[in-house]
Amino acid sequence: MGHAELLIAGLLVAVAGLSALARRMSVPYPIVLVVAGALFGFVPGLPEVKLDPEVVLLVFLPPLIYGESIFVNFGDLRANLRGLTLSTVGLVLATTCAVGWVAHALIPGLPWEAAFVLGAIVSPTDPLAAMTIMRRLDAPRRLMSSIEGEGLFNDATALVAYRVAVAAVVVGSFSLADAGLKFVLGTAAGIAIGFAVGWIVAAIRKRITDAQVSVTISLLTGYAAFVPADAIGASGILATVTAGIYMGIQGPRILPARTRLQGYFVWDILDFIINAILFMLIGLQLRAVVAGLSGYSASTLGGYALAVTGMVVGTRLVWFFTVPYLVRGLDRRPAQRARRVGARWRLVVAWSGMRGAVSLAVALALPYKTDAGGGFPKRDLIVFLTFSVIFFTLVVQGLSLPTLIRRLGVSDGGADADEEVRARLVATKAAIVQIDALAGEEWTRDETVERMRALYEYRKRRFAAQAGKIEDDGYEDRSLAYQQMLQLVLGAQREALLRMRSAGKLSNDVMNRILRELDLEESRLEI
């Protein structure tokens, strides 16, 4: 078996094993992966991996960003547009400048341009670990939406700042006016391209009934938005985000249920695989990166890592405990006062600024050479410091975040569950209205109408009892008993099919087709 085969097999085993370990430990998998990635690269005998920088950005970023944007809470983002803009533009640029300043001041021979490259790389947040923790702890949805929206949109600002800084290093010149103009035009063009791609893709997928073809188009949509935008110098990230949000809004209206179901599971797995591979790849490169830092002592490298990480975390803490007060002083409108949050919320948001896959991808995408033929200044050191920031924010902040949330008592008090019950009740009432309307049609049968009406009437009473609108007359207990019984019945059908296959009386293709129908029926249970 060659090096490539060993590498692929090792990555697959590591990803599967580490994800199982993370689940067993009840820890978000990025935390386990970043620790394992740091150790993985130093395993004796593993080949050195050298990746093409442009390939890294093109392969990993579009699906990573598009997958996040499809499922984002657009209504919450729109309601918190001002705060989101401040965080995704102002905080990113503030972090870039602060990190660039401390890196240039501490690291001998690190030019300003390369220092700002480091700042841009570590400025965007990754909400994956924080969202996993918050969902488990029943954190308020508004809080989660603000963190999720920031992690989605600040990638665009950070990548623009990154490209400007990298161009200054590679070409050897920088113009603030030119950079500002590129940022404005790139943002507008990126949004326009993303909207156009989203509209075209929605029109195509609306006419496609084959779930596999439709999901495949979904997987390619991120690239369809990112590549043309990036090619003309526009923001490929914003184009991808815009296309994803557009499809997230239109998808429930135009896509068949089976397509949506398959797409959800495909994107869930793909997001996990991309994140896991990125952490493993940085681990494989870490040995070569550390070898390139032989001129630095361990204490020196540790000091640089602590200083840069401290500036990243400190800038975020200072921002959330100063800027909101400035905004309060400028905007005293009642609508804005109603949206204000206390210090506990702001502390949780500030401590949730973990770095992850996007910073990894951008660090790996650093060019090796400048146009003058020399090496990129301190490239290995920049990659090392990026990994250090990611390691600290994921491991230290990620593991301490649950304790912080519990100690501060930040919870939605079951508001999300109440909202779900109300939504189910409204949907059930709509079903009953439709059944009554269909009862008068010639093609419907009375026994079918009555059976469906009884099912939804019972469901309406159950949800009404959960919402406190009527007294609970044992609806929940009877429903759970029914669902448990149905699960046993479905299990018996599966066992019967397996026995038929074992006896050679049923083909695997037919069995799987029936099993999928049974699985879909079980997935409808409302336990």
Side-chain angles (χ1 to χ4, degrees):
M1 186 179 288
H3 287 313
E5 290 85 350
L6 283 173
L7 177 61
I8 294 172
L11 283 174
L12 292 175
V13 172
V15 167
L18 291 171
S19 63
L21 177 63
R23 184 176 295 275
R24 188 175 184 83
M25 296 170 60
S26 297
V27 173
Y29 73 84
I31 297 176
V32 176
L33 286 173
V34 75
V35 175
L39 303 174
F40 197 63
F42 295 95
V43 175
L46 285 180
E48 180 181 341
V49 177
K50 191 171 183 179
L51 302 171
D52 185 299
E54 292 300 324
V55 171
V56 172
L57 279 180
L58 182 60
V59 170
F60 290 107
L61 274 188
L64 197 65
I65 300 299
Y66 183 75
E68 293 175 358
S69 60
I70 295 174
F71 304 106
V72 74
N73 289 313
F74 178 69
D76 291 343
L77 297 183
R78 184 172 54 186
N80 191 35
L81 185 60
R82 185 177 63 185
L84 185 65
T85 302
L86 287 172
S87 297
T88 56
V89 178
L91 180 55
V92 167
L93 296 179
T95 304
T96 299
C97 293
V99 171
W101 173 78
V102 74
H104 177 75
L106 285 181
I107 302 173
L110 182 69
W112 276 109
E113 295 86 352
F116 284 125
V117 168
L118 172 62
I121 290 175
V122 298
S123 61
T125 57
D126 186 344
L128 179 60
M131 294 296 291
T132 303
I133 294 169
M134 289 183 176
R135 289 191 182 101
R136 192 165 61 231
L137 296 177
D138 198 29
R141 192 191 68 186
R142 180 183 167 193
L143 178 65
M144 292 191 291
S145 295
S146 65
I147 294 172
E148 187 179 30
E150 181 191 358
L152 184 62
F153 284 95
N154 64 13
D155 296 334
T157 305
L159 191 59
V160 171
Y162 165 82
R163 289 192 180 279
V164 170
V166 168
V169 174
V170 173
V171 178
S173 62
F174 173 75
S175 169
L176 181 61
D178 183 57
L181 181 61
K182 285 182 178 179
F183 178 80
V184 174
L185 293 178
T187 297
I191 293 174
I193 292 173
F195 181 81
V197 170
W199 185 84
I200 293 171
V201 169
I204 294 173
R205 295 185 67 189
K206 184 178 180 179
R207 292 163 174 78
I208 293 177
T209 57
D210 189 292
Q212 292 178 329
V213 175
S214 185
V215 173
T216 301
I217 294 175
S218 175
L219 296 176
L220 297 176
T221 303
Y223 296 103
F226 185 90
V227 172
D230 190 64
I232 66 171
S235 174
I237 296 292
L238 275 180
T240 307
V241 168
T242 304
I245 290 177
Y246 185 87
M247 277 306 305
I249 295 172
Q250 297 296 326
R253 295 191 182 96
I254 64 175
L255 299 180
R258 183 176 178 180
T259 299
R260 291 197 304 272
L261 187 65
Q262 289 191 11
Y264 174 80
F265 290 119
V266 167
W267 276 109
D268 187 48
I269 294 173
L270 183 65
D271 181 70
F272 166 73
I273 291 175
I274 292 175
N275 277 280
I277 289 177
L278 277 173
F279 283 112
M280 291 296 101
L281 288 177
I282 194 70
L284 289 174
Q285 292 205 118
L286 199 57
R287 180 172 55 186
V289 168
V290 172
L293 300 174
S294 57
Y296 299 94
S297 66
S299 60
T300 300
L301 290 175
Y304 292 161
L306 286 175
V308 171
T309 303
M311 185 58 71
V312 169
V313 177
T315 301
R316 186 173 180 85
L317 285 168
V318 170
W319 178 275
F320 280 105
F321 282 91
T322 56
V323 173
Y325 292 106
L326 296 176
V327 174
R328 287 184 183 186
L330 296 173
D331 192 345
R332 311 287 296 179
R333 290 177 298 169
Q336 294 303 318
R337 287 202 298 267
R339 295 192 58 80
R340 292 173 182 173
V341 296
R344 292 183 301 169
W345 275 44
R346 292 200 301 277
L347 182 56
V348 171
V349 173
W351 199 246
S352 301
M354 303 165 203
R355 272 58 179 176
V358 172
S359 292
L360 279 175
V362 175
L364 292 175
L366 277 174
Y368 290 95
K369 299 287 185 181
T370 65
D371 287 353
F376 194 96
K378 309 291 183 181
R379 184 185 190 276
D380 288 338
L381 182 58
I382 291 174
V383 175
F384 171 78
L385 292 175
T386 299
F387 188 83
S388 300
V389 171
I390 294 170
F391 189 93
F392 177 90
T393 56
L394 277 179
V395 177
V396 177
Q397 292 182 263
L399 292 179
S400 60
L401 182 61
T403 302
L404 181 67
I405 293 175
R406 293 190 187 99
R407 291 285 179 87
L408 296 177
V410 177
S411 171
D412 72 345
D416 206 36
D418 293 340
E419 182 181 2
E420 181 180 343
V421 170
R422 290 196 301 271
R424 289 184 182 275
L425 181 59
V426 169
T428 302
K429 289 179 178 178
I432 293 174
V433 171
Q434 183 64 30
I435 290 171
D436 291 338
L438 292 173
E441 298 290 335
E442 293 183 0
W443 55 271
T444 59
R445 295 178 178 271
D446 292 341
E447 60 270 22
T448 303
V449 170
E450 290 307 315
R451 187 168 64 248
M452 291 188 67
R453 182 183 286 118
L455 170 66
Y456 281 98
E457 285 287 353
Y458 183 87
R459 188 173 295 181
K460 185 183 75 171
R461 292 193 296 272
R462 179 192 174 205
F463 292 140
Q466 289 182 5
K469 296 180 178 295
I470 62 173
E471 184 178 352
D472 188 354
D473 189 22
Y475 298 116
E476 194 66 25
D477 292 338
R478 291 199 297 271
S479 179
L480 291 175
Y482 167 78
Q483 293 175 50
Q484 183 178 359
M485 181 178 177
L486 185 56
Q487 281 186 325
L488 294 174
V489 171
L490 292 173
Q493 293 178 73
R494 293 188 186 98
E495 289 297 327
L497 293 173
L498 291 173
R499 287 195 297 269
M500 286 186 67
R501 185 186 65 176
S502 299
K505 299 178 180 178
L506 182 66
S507 69
N508 205 54
D509 183 58
V510 173
M511 183 199 71
N512 285 324
R513 192 182 312 152
I514 301 174
L515 281 180
R516 281 196 296 270
E517 294 176 2
L518 296 177
D519 291 342
L520 284 171
E521 187 173 353
E522 184 172 349
S523 70
R524 294 183 65 249
L525 295 180
E526 298 159 354
I527 292 178

